Amino acid sequence: MKYIDAVLEKTIKINPGEPEFHQAVREVLKSLEPVIQNHPEYERAGLLERLLEPERQVIFRVPWLDDQNRVQINRGFRVQFSSAIGPYKGGLRFHPTVNLGIIKFLAFEQIFKNSLTGLPIGGGKGGSDFNPRDKSDAEIMRFCQSFMTELYRHIGADTDVPAGDIGVGAREIGYLYGQYKRIRNAYEGALTGKGLSYGGSLARKEATGYGLIYFVDEMIKSKGKSFENSTVSISGSGNVAIYALEKARQLGAKVVAMSDSNGYIYDPEGIDFETVRKLKETDRERISEYVRVHAKAEYHPGSTGIWSIPCHIALPCATQNELNREAAETLVKNGCFAVGEGANMPSTPEAVEVFMQHGVLFAPGKAANAGGVAVSALEMSQNSIRASWSFEEVDSKLQDIMKNIYLNASEAARQYGLGDNLAAGANIAGFKKVADAMLAQGVV
Ligand code: NDP
Ligand code: 2IT
């Protein structure tokens, strides 16, 4: 379609050197074709052009002193992409691969994801090329304090509410929040994923992983399948992967493989949740240490090898583009019938194509991993009314939200004659609410 092609071409031209951002935009725009065709008013309102230009992009210097008193400099980012339906909301990523294009792709995806939750949150994302691995606790604290000393002026409970993502967990959020509160002299919910003793929500830590399993469960139930007695592989072994492991096991699945950026473990007897949780959350160890505790398990160097392990359900929960065409073909060959993306954009476009061609049920990240940000929004509500809800209360709201996202995405796919294509359905359902809000609010 001419309008979409022109917008895509311009986006690539004015944002050079940002392949992940181009990839995310291309995927969304492609699936919006039937919607744009039905709504010529969107083109008249320049809606796509506006949606693709972040409202604000902040890049800043983060100077800090390491334990040897040497000066270190990192780059900080916050991309405030869309506030059409609520304050900017989305995580912070600390990883050496972070650059503006990565943060833009994540912030762009977040717009649709947050819309799908049905809660009033806009899209944003931030982070730094800082590598928290092998840093001392004191170094992490000094870095977080320096990062927040600039970031604080751009965020706030009603403006922009960051949270965690890769490399940013409970420890980092604690240091970030401490510095925010100190500078602002205000005790307000300007971050989510906070500790339970200072305004955090029960079940936020578990939310992304649990939500992923709730979503995939809905999706496979619609085809008469279940987690019970299924074999599952989960890439990564961070926050999302750990709680996907716990919930998948609770639903009767056997999780046989997990990974980190160095390699993967295979445990034919089923990976033990408590061992992984303690290794990663308490001891901050590598996943290879698992085989010391479980003698029948194997460790293999090289993280992508995880997709060669036969499984019924594959859950990529590490990072973008970690699952390519070759891996997808291997999964299909080995009998994989469902893929649920816990990470953001973990499957390459070619891998998704392989899944579609072979009728593999595919749960796209922006729908399937929305449980984390959804419970973040519930944390914001609790902070506003100065209340805290029980674990069961939050978990039951999370289950309802994931079920609704599944229903809305599959209904949108059906409505536009796209069959079981939940990726397109999620894009359409997420887009519509944002587009209507943008139309109503005029040219802003
Ligand atoms: P964590 O930092 O807790 O864990 C990340 C895991 O992924 C680690 O095991 C890490 O291994 C692995 N990993 C990271 N980068 C790479 C890489 N380049 N190659 C191979 N493995 C890698 O992050 P989260 O669990 O929070 O996030 C995982 C994914 O889920 C990300 O895509 C994130 O955007 C997404 N997500 C997170 C949400 C949340 O609430 N936390 C919500 C929704 C999505 P290593 O230790 O070796 O680096
Ligand atoms: O990608 C994501 O949705 C997150 N990292 C969580 C964002 C949030 O604000 O909880």
Side-chain angles (χ1 to χ4, degrees), residues 20 93 97 102 105-106 166 318-322 343-346:
E20 293 85 3
R93 175 177 293 190
T97 56
I102 297 270
F105 116 67
L106 290 163
I166 292 178
T319 195
Q320 64 277 352
N321 293 326
E322 55 163 310
N344 287 304
M345 209 168 76

Side-chain angles (χ1 to χ4, degrees), residues 1-3 36 39-49:
M1 191 196 171
K2 250 166 102 190
Y3 176 43
I36 304 295
H39 292 273
E41 70 274 21
Y42 291 162
E43 182 172 353
R44 284 196 296 273
L47 201 120
L48 292 179
E49 295 91 321

